[in-house]
Amino acid sequence: MPRHREVKIPQSHAAGTPQSLRRVNAQAVLAAARTTDVATGTGLMAATGLTRATVIAVCEDLVRSGWLRELDAPARDGASTSNAAGKPRKGRPARRFELNARAGVVLGVDIGAGTTTAAVADLRGTVLGRASAAFRATDIPAEERVSVVDRACLDALREAGETPEKVLAVTAGIAAPVDREGTVLAAQHFWTLFDVGLRSALHERHGWPVRLENDANLAALGERWRGTGAGVSDLVVLLASERLGAGVLESGRLLHGRAGGAGEMGFLSLVEGVGSSAGIASLARTWQAEAGGPTGGGQAGARRVFADAAAGDAAALEILERLAERMARVIAAIASFINPEQVVIGGAVADSAGALLPGITAALPALTATPRA
């Protein structure tokens, strides 16, 4: 789920219709309430720029409609309230509100070539249920791929104890470029696997609004929201499992490019010492097989390489050294034209890839003038 930024409502919005103004004010108050456990009138005024009377009126509307809860009912008929010591306290008490995090749920869907995973979260981002499903094959009809994704979503909702009617929005991450309007760039065969009309299909089946986005872009937003990149405005998240792809934030703004191709790694075929956009897992398996070691499919085979290296296996240690040097070159190439404050390595082998960091850190100063990562 993307970070909700503080919302400022300029006074010029007063020229709108009463209905649109109420909607804008409600959105501003909800966005502000979502960033704090307890929202007060004073805090909401500071966050939204609205007057106290407007804030309280909006909060009361949102309480009636179920989006907010009031923590302390106000005293009636001018009665005094009590302070923490139990002594009467005159005057109007501060009214406190909290977001009703179960007023609705959102769905996050990760769609790969072989599997898909759906997660249900409340309005504060707490995951309530999760489910995965496998595709029968890589090249399957679009309708079949949509049906598998739909099944994973419904299974996740069942695990969360929620119904499809409670879903407010769906965001689906795919391993292909997506422009600002949600159109898939189907310039390569692999990318066409994800151009299946998912938005319209899920809307027709359930009425859900669906946002389609590149998976690395979503990883960058998530990392800045709740990950190691929290608060970092110039951030690159490099998904590095089977294929390399990057999500880029510049001054806190997600970069898409004209057709959604910002962060694609095809240029690595031109970089000396890299040569392709193959990721850590893919290379680990390939180099292990070339060394005559045991082979395995998917991430399991790659994790075996890291496990063998941890146990002191010489061939596996050499593979890790090669991977670290190669990833250092990738990061240096990214740093040379984006100059991020931080680069985060993510993806299915991210936990194991921590073993590469010492080698990457040691190699970077010789490859770039801005080696901080």
Side-chain angles (χ1 to χ4, degrees):
M1 294 175 63
R3 177 191 295 269
H4 277 254
R5 298 180 179 175
E6 182 174 280
V7 180
K8 299 290 186 181
I9 304 298
Q11 294 302 313
S12 61
H13 281 206
T17 65
Q19 294 83 358
S20 63
L21 186 58
R22 282 196 295 271
R23 184 163 53 251
V24 169
N25 290 344
Q27 290 171 346
V29 169
L30 280 174
R34 188 174 178 272
T35 64
T36 182
D37 291 333
V38 177
T40 64
T42 300
L44 292 173
M45 288 168 59
T48 64
L50 300 172
T51 66
R52 181 176 296 277
T54 299
V55 163
I56 295 302
V58 170
C59 286
E60 289 175 345
D61 284 345
L62 292 172
V63 168
R64 283 191 291 270
S65 57
W67 292 99
L68 293 181
R69 296 191 187 99
E70 186 163 8
L71 298 178
D72 303 304
R76 301 297 181 186
D77 301 324
S80 63
T81 58
S82 298
N83 60 21
K87 296 180 180 180
R89 179 180 61 194
K90 293 187 179 292
R92 178 180 299 175
R95 298 181 67 176
R96 306 186 306 149
F97 303 89
E98 69 174 359
L99 179 72
N100 177 11
R102 296 299 290 267
V105 296
V106 293
L107 269 167
V109 189
D110 177 31
I111 306 173
T115 61
T116 184
T117 298
V120 180
D122 67 16
L123 300 186
R124 288 195 182 278
T126 302
V127 176
L128 308 173
R130 193 188 306 267
S132 297
F135 299 115
R136 172 176 55 84
T138 299
D139 281 303
I140 58 176
E143 185 176 348
E144 182 180 349
R145 190 172 294 274
V146 169
S147 293
V148 174
V149 172
D150 186 40
R151 185 170 71 250
C153 291
L154 295 177
D155 288 346
L157 284 167
R158 277 191 289 272
E159 182 178 298
E162 295 288 359
T163 64
E165 292 73 25
K166 287 289 290 295
V167 174
L168 301 176
V170 180
T171 296
I174 63 173
V178 182
D179 69 15
R180 297 179 186 90
E181 284 69 48
T183 302
V184 179
L185 176 61
Q188 297 181 12
H189 174 69
F190 181 76
W191 295 344
T192 65
L193 301 177
F194 306 97
D195 189 18
V196 296
L198 185 69
R199 289 187 301 170
S200 58
L202 291 183
H203 187 268
E204 290 171 3
R205 294 186 185 202
H206 307 291
W208 297 339
V210 179
R211 169 73 180 269
L212 206 62
E213 184 56 273
N214 172 262
D215 53 0
N217 286 349
L218 291 177
L221 292 173
E223 200 67 41
R224 187 170 187 258
W225 178 36
R226 288 191 172 180
T228 59
V232 177
S233 295
D234 297 286
L235 175 70
V236 172
V237 173
L238 190 60
L239 296 188
S241 183
E242 294 298 323
R243 297 170 53 149
L244 298 177
V248 181
L249 290 172
E250 198 279 326
S251 298
R253 182 174 63 94
L254 182 65
L255 299 186
H256 281 93
R258 183 182 65 83
E264 289 300 319
M265 298 284 103
F267 74 94
L268 291 175
S269 62
L270 307 176
V271 177
E272 182 180 355
V274 180
S276 76
S277 59
I280 292 172
S282 175
L283 291 170
R285 292 194 308 272
T286 299
W287 291 345
Q288 185 185 49
E290 291 175 353
T295 60
Q299 277 75 47
R303 283 193 289 267
R304 173 67 182 270
V305 176
F306 286 97
D308 289 348
D313 180 80
L317 286 169
E318 183 179 348
I319 290 174
L320 259 60
E321 184 177 345
R322 292 176 65 188
L323 286 171
E325 197 272 342
R326 183 184 178 109
M327 290 304 298
R329 289 179 177 273
V330 171
I331 292 170
I334 292 171
S336 69
F337 55 83
I338 296 178
N339 189 26
E341 178 181 347
Q342 185 180 79
V343 176
V344 177
I345 297 176
V349 295
D351 292 339
S352 299
L356 302 177
L357 292 182
I360 293 173
T361 302
L364 275 176
L367 298 171
T368 175
T370 56
R372 182 180 178 186

